[in-house]
Amino acid sequence: MEEDIPEEVVGQLPGIKYFTEIILEPFDAPKRALQLVKKMTKILTQPSHGVVVDEQEGTILSLSGVKRLKTMSPKDDSSFLQMTWWFMNDYTFIKDGLDTFLDVMEATMPEALPRRYGVYEPPQFKWAEKGKEHFIQFVSENLHEGIVWYPSKPFTDVHIGIPDKVGPTREGFRSCYISIDFLEEVMGQPGWPLEIKRFWLKTSELLNPFYGEIRRGWSPVSGWWWRGLPKRLGNAAILGKPYIDLWPDFIKEAKQTKGGLFYIENINEDYQDLHSIIAEVPEDIVQPKNKKKYSRKWPFEGPFLKYK
């Protein structure tokens, strides 16, 4: 069972989901027997892309040829996928959420952590030199100005958008959002589709978004300017309140998280968009083509702040 995997093993390699235990008895078994057990672990581990945990020695061993990420050649025109969450509770994220967000990232997707960061290009700070606490302080001081965040491959960009005013404004409705871009090529590497899905769901539980997604290329939603759901879904979508009350057909097909979110995903090595699983998004909650207009059924306050 996936939940039986030791905590210290999670994150060693992407997509670990099976746990096999080999016990050698008695304690003083012949050396030949121990050699056979070690040979057996290699036979099991290498083709299944796993690690060996030796509880007696207190070690975690990755075998030769089993890598977390295989070399990815740089390409100017590399296709990418983007995972994004839109949410309203900016205060919770600023107070505690960023710290937890980084913990989730470090445990499951350490490549997405900020290798370099700053307020301009090229970013002036290095995570390896400054550490987590400096980064959190830096983000809190520059949150509304925009942060330059350089992750490591296969991730290419991380963006945090927290406006100074969430909700209706005179220019339109603004929400918080976080987007993470990663190279499409990684979806063909062992374990990565499952690990991407796990990270997306864990982060969704943390952020409690009203909508989140994974899709090829750019989202049709323009940053924090929320006007309704995208007309076309990507490879994964997750709904929170108020949209879970506005799209019952989605809820019927979806799985539910512990936190009460509903999601449909098609994240695997031959991933496709969701329209083979779920019908079109209802027209009355879709963002209109006209960028100055909002969905006919508007579930939030506003969308415009009225002049007094």
Side-chain angles (χ1 to χ4, degrees):
M1 295 291 287
E2 195 170 317
E3 55 267 25
D4 294 329
I5 299 172
E7 188 174 334
E8 64 272 17
V9 174
V10 176
Q12 291 287 325
L13 288 174
I16 291 178
K17 60 179 178 179
Y18 300 113
F19 174 65
T20 303
E21 188 173 31
I22 299 176
I23 300 174
L24 177 63
E25 293 182 338
F27 181 79
D28 57 349
K31 186 177 180 180
R32 175 60 178 163
L34 182 59
Q35 290 173 341
L36 287 172
V37 167
K38 288 184 176 180
K39 184 177 181 179
M40 192 183 306
T41 61
K42 290 183 179 181
I43 293 172
L44 287 171
T45 303
Q46 205 142 24
S48 60
H49 197 73
V51 296
V52 178
V53 180
D54 189 331
E55 294 186 355
Q56 199 167 355
E57 297 291 334
T59 59
I60 299 176
L61 176 65
S62 294
L63 301 183
S64 175
V66 178
K67 296 181 178 180
R68 179 174 174 85
L69 182 68
K70 296 178 183 177
T71 302
M72 303 179 75
S73 302
K75 300 175 184 177
D76 293 335
D77 60 345
S78 294
S79 300
F80 72 95
L81 283 87
Q82 185 178 75
M83 62 178 89
T84 315
W85 303 263
W86 288 266
F87 56 101
M88 296 297 292
N89 202 333
D90 56 329
Y91 175 76
T92 299
F93 180 77
I94 294 169
K95 184 175 182 294
D96 301 309
L98 177 58
D99 193 357
T100 309
F101 176 60
L102 293 171
D103 286 344
V104 171
M105 192 175 279
E106 190 168 23
T108 57
M109 291 287 171
E111 294 87 354
L113 288 169
R115 176 172 48 87
R116 296 180 69 110
Y117 58 95
V119 292
Y120 52 78
E121 304 265 5
Q124 62 269 46
F125 300 116
K126 295 181 180 180
W127 175 280
E129 295 175 355
K130 296 293 186 178
K132 179 182 175 183
E133 295 306 316
H134 180 270
F135 177 74
I136 291 174
Q137 181 66 29
F138 172 82
V139 171
S140 66
E141 292 173 355
N142 298 276
L143 192 60
H144 305 309
E145 307 302 321
I147 306 296
V148 179
W149 178 325
Y150 282 6
S152 301
K153 286 183 180 179
F155 299 96
T156 58
D157 185 61
V158 179
H159 185 79
I160 298 177
I162 308 292
D164 54 357
K165 171 69 171 68
V166 175
T169 71
R170 292 177 179 179
E171 293 77 29
F173 191 88
R174 297 192 298 189
S175 70
C176 307
Y177 82 103
I178 294 176
S179 65
I180 302 176
D181 300 352
F182 58 98
L183 295 171
E184 185 174 359
E185 182 185 345
V186 80
M187 300 299 278
Q189 295 203 18
W192 275 94
L194 176 57
E195 203 67 15
I196 290 287
K197 172 187 168 182
R198 285 174 176 168
F199 174 72
W200 180 68
L201 287 173
K202 285 180 180 178
T203 304
S204 296
E205 290 277 70
L206 168 65
L207 298 176
N208 192 31
F210 54 80
Y211 175 68
E213 64 177 23
I214 301 177
R215 70 167 65 236
R216 284 187 179 95
W218 305 109
S219 173
V221 178
S222 183
W224 59 37
W225 297 106
W226 184 260
R227 299 186 298 112
L229 293 176
K231 185 175 180 63
R232 292 286 301 178
L233 300 177
N235 312 102
I238 192 162
L239 295 184
K241 286 186 174 295
Y243 284 103
I244 58 176
D245 300 320
L246 301 179
W247 193 359
D249 288 346
F250 184 96
I251 304 307
K252 288 178 186 176
E253 299 291 337
K255 297 178 181 178
Q256 186 174 9
T257 69
K258 293 179 181 179
L261 303 171
F262 290 84
Y263 71 96
I264 300 175
E265 56 83 18
N266 201 4
I267 301 297
N268 46 55
E269 290 182 13
D270 57 346
Y271 55 96
Q272 301 293 326
D273 67 34
L274 297 181
H275 292 289
S276 60
I277 302 173
I278 185 69
E280 298 289 330
V281 183
E283 284 294 331
D284 58 359
I285 57 175
V286 166
Q287 65 174 4
K289 290 182 180 179
N290 187 330
K291 294 184 178 180
K292 295 182 179 180
K293 294 185 177 182
Y294 289 75
S295 61
R296 295 198 301 270
K297 188 175 286 185
W298 183 250
F300 303 102
E301 183 185 359
F304 291 98
L305 185 65
K306 295 179 180 179
Y307 287 88
K308 293 184 179 179

